Amino acid sequence: ITAADHPLASRQSVDIQEVAAEKFISLDNTKATHLFLEACHRAGFRPAISCTTSQIDNLFAMASLGLGVAVNVRRIAMAAKSHHNIAVIPLKNVEPLTVTMAAPTLTASSPAIGAFRAFALDWISRNRCK
């Protein structure tokens, strides 16, 4: 996620190693932040985080002001694009996130666990690769 006038804004995609020299805006201590830091580590660099926020809307606002670039889930970033002057550019060469779910065996499951399991599996199948 960059300001709309950032040099990367017009790109169709960007390799994760191409952003190694950028200043980053990050959400405070979230799972997504930890996953991003791990992806950077695997790509061979430590991102320079210039500012952090606990509010997702502030993340987009700071990016739109050119205070740095940010990384977030595509669906959330695309929804924010209509409210902020930002560009959303997919990162290439980032290992995909693996989602796993653990639940009791089906014979020991309560109706609530069974309903949640069915919901979660349905949601994952409908939202895979989006």
Side-chain angles (χ1 to χ4, degrees), residues 51-62:
C51 49
T52 63
T53 180
S54 61
Q55 302 294 316
I56 188 79
D57 210 41
N58 289 344
L59 180 90
F60 297 122
M62 288 189 280

Side-chain angles (χ1 to χ4, degrees), residues 2-6 23 25 50 60-69 85:
T2 68
D5 61 353
H6 189 280
K23 291 181 181 176
I25 304 160
S50 60
F60 297 122
M62 288 189 280
S64 72
L65 293 171
L67 299 177
V69 299
N85 192 26

